[in-house]
Amino acid sequence: MSLIELLRRRRASLPDWVQDWLDVLVPALQTGLILLAAWLLHWLLKRLVLRLARRYSLPPQIVLPLRGVLRWLIITATVLLVLGRLGVSASVLWTAFTGFAAVGAVAFFAAWSVLSNLFCALLIMVAQPFRLGDDVEVLDTAEKPGAKGRVVDINLLYTTLQEADGGGRLLQIPNALFFQRVVRRWRGGMAGADAASEAAPRDPPASPG
């Protein structure tokens, strides 16, 4: 049995001045517990995100927005719980929540292309289908040539390729496109791949029998 439930059961036998204080003490105690739980949850999620960032070598451009989203989700949930404990009507909270959710859904679909590039940037950082310094070619099909160059930068929206035979021109390709097209990759660049293939031992010619 919790302390709050015990106080509620013994409330009738308490003096009037104690009952008046309980009207303030119980909500304050509940609010404090909610804030403490929110702080602990934020601390645990922060450590988890930092550990994942170190394990997968995630850049700050990915880590900081992720931490911000988690922080605001915790703050929003905490505010709703505290208002509920302070006596705000559940119907009012539900109406406000559904209103914000509807606005958020509209904004989500309106910014879907941007959000898809953000999510694909996270996948590129974690799964690493290619890395900085690799040469890649984005193909519409396996036979038709496409955009080709060396990966010189990966940010939240675009991956920048530098063309080898175009005077150093830069191509900015949306990150989502790499998961919608066939991608040909040369690890460490085409020059490194050619050197590795030349250095590979070859079978000696068969002696005439």
Side-chain angles (χ1 to χ4, degrees), residues 137-193:
E137 184 177 7
V138 183
L139 308 172
D140 289 332
T141 63
E143 296 81 13
K144 186 178 179 180
K148 182 184 356 182
R150 174 160 296 182
V151 180
V152 295
D153 183 55
I154 303 173
N155 58 36
L156 294 178
L157 297 178
Y158 298 100
T159 293
T160 303
L161 305 182
Q162 184 177 22
E163 291 183 326
D165 54 355
R169 290 180 302 183
L170 299 178
L171 302 175
Q172 285 189 318
I173 301 178
N175 292 323
L177 196 63
F178 290 98
F179 295 90
Q180 301 170 2
R181 299 289 188 271
V182 178
V183 178
R184 184 178 294 160
R185 173 191 182 188
W186 291 268
R187 189 187 300 272
M190 288 183 286

Side-chain angles (χ1 to χ4, degrees), residues 75-158:
I75 290 175
T76 302
T78 303
V79 170
L80 292 176
L81 289 174
V82 169
L83 290 177
R85 292 296 90 193
L86 295 179
V88 179
S89 173
S91 60
V92 174
L93 292 178
W94 179 249
T95 302
F97 176 76
T98 53
F100 283 120
V103 173
V106 172
F108 177 82
F109 286 109
W112 169 247
S113 60
V114 176
L115 295 175
S116 64
N117 286 321
L118 293 175
F119 180 69
C120 290
L122 178 61
L123 290 180
I124 290 173
M125 297 298 176
V126 175
Q128 294 185 338
F130 52 82
R131 301 180 181 181
L132 292 176
D134 290 348
D135 283 344
V136 298
E137 184 177 7
V138 183
L139 308 172
D140 289 332
T141 63
E143 296 81 13
K144 186 178 179 180
K148 182 184 356 182
R150 174 160 296 182
V151 180
V152 295
D153 183 55
I154 303 173
N155 58 36
L156 294 178
L157 297 178
Y158 298 100

Side-chain angles (χ1 to χ4, degrees), residues 4-58:
I4 295 176
E5 293 178 354
L6 180 62
L7 291 176
R8 286 176 175 175
R9 292 189 176 185
R10 297 298 182 91
R11 181 172 181 173
S13 60
L14 295 175
D16 293 338
W17 65 271
V18 176
Q19 296 184 22
D20 294 337
W21 273 104
L22 286 179
D23 292 335
V24 179
L25 179 62
V26 171
L29 183 59
Q30 292 175 336
T31 301
L33 292 176
I34 292 172
L35 295 177
L36 178 61
W39 180 83
L40 289 175
L41 180 61
H42 178 263
W43 181 77
L44 290 174
L45 291 177
K46 179 180 177 181
R47 289 180 60 89
L48 177 61
V49 169
L50 293 177
R51 182 173 298 179
L52 291 175
R54 287 193 297 266
R55 180 174 181 180
Y56 295 104
S57 301
L58 298 179

